[in-house]
Amino acid sequence: MSDNKIASVKVDRDTCIGAGPCVATAPGVFELDDEQKAVLKRAGGTKTSDLTKVSEFEATDADDALLMAAAESCPVRAISLYDAEGNQIFPA
Amino acid sequence: MERYKYLIIGGGIAGTTAAETLRKDDPTGRVAIVSDEPHPLYSRIMLSKPNFFLEKVPFDTIWMRKAESYAEKGIDFLGGKSAVTLDSKAKKVTLDDGSELEYEKLLLALGCPVRQLAVPGIDKKGINYVKTIEDARAIIANVKKAKAAVVIGSGFIGFEMCDMLHLAGLKVDSVIREKYFWEPVLDEPAGRILERKMAAEGIVIHTASEVAEVRGGDWVEGVTLKDGTAIDCQMVILAVGVSFRGEWLKAAGLEVRRGIVADEKLQTNLPDVWTAGDVAEFQDVIMEECLMCGTWINAQMQGKTAAMNMMGRGETYRQLSSYTAHGFGLNIGFVGNVWRGEGRELIGRGDGDSGKYAGIVLRGNRLVGAFMVDRPGDMAPLKRLIDSKMNISGFRDKLADPTADLAALTGE
């Protein structure tokens, strides 16, 4: 059992401006879609900005440090992180 | 005299990223950031976003580092100080408080100052540039009191400020020197789409106009244009671009044109001096020319590359720039270099009257830039065409055909 606290991630598409630092920080987790909005890469190839469990990610290296770094790098605070109970961890 | 292995002038995202990269990879080398602002890193991008100005998100959302996080990481943060002289032979920088700092490796990540508008009355209260957190605080306060605003300038900031002020319920007049909005970055069909959308929302756009005088007492009460038109307002936002002079750096022998000139590794003409971010006029290996780029991600990634190279890694900076602007329900995207001068050709994609239109800039048989108004789906394939330097001579007609699927051209 890992000691990672972040259980799910969401991108607010209305806020996202496609600046792309999340992709630079965690290219295995994020990419920009055709509308230049950040999406989360799920296992199986689907991509969404909606709330996604970390366990559903295609990437297996998405630990707390990486996800926090990606969320913190966003200059418009479009990325939200939640714990297993659904409490928002970031932005705090 | 303080001695630093790595001295960074500028506390924005370029300088901060560089400092953190250096600290991580060289834990023993002393690192300092000199910033003319006293604050830790904040998001300058938030400064043009309506959610921020209209206080739909907390003000503190703007902070991207805490004041204490520099010391925790082992970075000396020298805030509220400006560098005033450089001696590249003695490897020494003097600050405005008279202190001298010695460096082994120097990074100039100064950002680009806003261009100042010199007209009578411009120093009255209620008039703000959009650059710093102090500007933001003043604008937020002014928006609550003002009934009418004038926005001067028709670029990215001017457009987003008009949108914000309109959403806040103010009467907005836009005063632009150009003959259509966002000239010459957009072409006329694209600029007119913006103007129609803005006019439909009640924005009055004064094209080919300049401010002759700002009226009022202590506070602004209105502006008068050179053609005599008088506009009453209680606030003015200045969005007339950026202009870097860098006289103190020129005096030190640094090559400065519009920005600080650097090679593809972000090294300047002076030994052990690098540059990064908005102020860098660097050799872009995708565009194959020397360019400046004012985006957040460019500044962040250049900060990282410059830091790597200050540690002797010899990395080449390679990143295709793109950004989007939003306002009045429009999505406006930019990629690459849309400057149109000698040797460039512009292909219009679509009909401006339809409200959806792109302009694609060619140099010979390759794409070098594009702008898109409400055609967000064109961005990804155009990025691939530019980044791959593909020869497009076989499908020029497709570029002009708004129904042609660009993604199919790139084989994806």
Side-chain angles (χ1 to χ4, degrees), chain B residues 57-74:
Chain B
V57 296
F59 189 89
D60 285 346
T61 309
I62 200 167
W63 301 110
M64 298 195 71
R65 295 293 184 279
K66 296 187 178 77
E68 61 271 23
S69 68
Y70 297 86
E72 283 167 8
K73 288 175 179 150

Side-chain angles (χ1 to χ4, degrees), chain B residues 41-52:
Chain B
L41 178 70
Y42 59 90
S43 171
R44 241 180 256 288
I45 287 193
M46 295 289 255
L47 297 183
S48 71
K49 302 301 167 205
N51 276 356
F52 174 72

Side-chain angles (χ1 to χ4, degrees), chain A residues 3-19:
Chain A
D3 54 3
N4 287 323
K5 291 192 176 61
I6 298 166
S8 53
V9 182
K10 187 179 80 175
V11 177
D12 180 353
R13 291 182 70 83
D14 290 340
T15 303
C16 177
I17 57 164

Side-chain angles (χ1 to χ4, degrees), chain B residues 200-218:
Chain B
E201 298 286 338
I203 313 299
V204 180
I205 303 173
H206 305 263
T207 57
S209 296
E210 291 184 60
V211 174
E213 184 193 2
V214 178
R215 292 177 281 110
D218 250 12

Side-chain angles (χ1 to χ4, degrees), chain A residues 10-59:
Chain A
K10 187 179 80 175
V11 177
D12 180 353
R13 291 182 70 83
D14 290 340
T15 303
C16 177
I17 57 164
C22 58
V23 181
T25 306
V29 177
F30 296 91
E31 68 176 33
L32 297 183
D33 69 7
D34 275 358
E35 292 182 355
Q36 298 302 295
K37 303 283 185 181
V39 288
L40 298 152
K41 297 198 265 187
R42 288 183 178 171
T46 59
K47 288 157 192 176
T48 180
S49 302
D50 296 340
L51 189 71
T52 298
K53 291 195 177 105
V54 173
S55 58
E56 295 175 299
F57 286 168
E58 180 183 274

Side-chain angles (χ1 to χ4, degrees), chain B residues 50-344:
Chain B
N51 276 356
F52 174 72
F53 273 108
L54 305 179
E55 298 183 297
K56 289 181 183 160
V57 296
F59 189 89
D60 285 346
T61 309
I62 200 167
W63 301 110
M64 298 195 71
R65 295 293 184 279
K66 296 187 178 77
E68 61 271 23
S69 68
Y70 297 86
E72 283 167 8
K73 288 175 179 150
I75 297 164
D76 284 1
F77 181 81
L78 311 174
K81 298 174 198 294
S82 301
V84 289
T85 65
L86 165 65
D87 182 339
S88 69
K89 288 196 179 64
K91 299 182 100 170
K92 201 170 70 178
V93 168
T94 311
L95 306 185
D96 55 355
D97 63 3
S99 58
E100 295 186 327
L101 307 174
E102 268 187 347
Y103 65 85
E104 287 177 41
K105 312 282 177 186
L106 177 68
L107 176 63
L108 300 169
L110 308 163
C112 250
V114 290
R115 199 164 72 78
Q116 308 277 323
L117 202 62
V119 297
I122 201 78
D123 52 354
K124 292 186 192 307
K125 287 179 185 160
I127 301 170
N128 285 96
Y129 292 92
V130 189
K131 179 71 177 179
T132 67
I133 200 158
E134 286 74 22
D135 295 330
R137 285 188 204 279
I139 292 170
I140 287 170
N142 294 348
V143 164
K144 289 177 184 163
K145 291 181 287 190
K147 299 259 185 300
V150 169
V151 177
I152 304 173
S154 79
F156 184 98
I157 301 289
F159 179 68
E160 295 207 333
M161 282 292 119
C162 284
D163 183 52
M164 183 275 288
L165 294 164
H166 170 66
L167 289 172
L170 278 71
K171 176 185 174 293
V172 182
D173 282 70
S174 159
V175 177
I176 68 177
R177 206 170 48 177
E178 297 76 18
K179 73 174 190 293
Y180 61 84
F181 206 84
W182 217 327
E183 185 188 18
V185 175
L186 296 178
D187 68 353
E188 188 162 349
R192 298 292 185 209
I193 297 174
L194 274 60
E195 288 180 6
R196 285 197 300 273
K197 280 275 191 180
M198 294 166 79
E201 298 286 338
I203 313 299
V204 180
I205 303 173
H206 305 263
T207 57
S209 296
E210 291 184 60
V211 174
E213 184 193 2
V214 178
R215 292 177 281 110
D218 250 12
W219 273 82
V220 56
E221 290 168 17
V223 301
T224 305
L225 307 186
K226 284 186 177 168
D227 68 2
T229 306
I231 308 164
D232 289 339
C233 65
Q234 298 79 44
M235 65 183 289
V236 174
I237 291 181
L238 301 168
V240 291
V242 293
S243 166
F244 178 70
R245 300 178 62 84
E247 300 298 343
W248 65 282
L249 294 166
K250 284 183 198 164
L254 190 76
E255 189 183 353
V256 174
R257 292 199 289 254
R258 283 193 307 135
I260 297 173
V261 178
D263 66 13
E264 70 282 1
K265 295 182 167 57
L266 305 176
Q267 189 153 16
T268 71
N269 66 309
L270 295 178
D272 297 315
V273 182
W274 283 262
T275 187
D278 292 7
V279 78
E281 186 174 348
F282 62 100
Q283 181 63 27
D284 185 313
V285 295
I286 300 172
M287 294 297 156
E288 295 164 337
E289 61 192 350
C290 213
L291 285 180
M292 292 177 83
C293 175
T295 68
W296 181 269
I297 190 73
N298 175 70
Q300 182 183 333
M301 300 307 280
Q302 287 197 343
K304 190 172 178 194
T305 299
M308 286 299 183
N309 294 341
M310 290 163 82
M311 295 185 288
R313 308 290 170 81
E315 287 187 7
T316 293
Y317 181 75
R318 188 188 198 285
Q319 172 104 17
L320 177 60
S321 78
S322 67
Y323 64 98
T324 55
H326 300 90
F328 301 97
L330 289 170
N331 178 322
I332 307 161
F334 297 91
V335 56
N337 182 8
V338 299
W339 174 82
R340 283 146 350 250
E342 213 186 316
R344 310 290 164 121

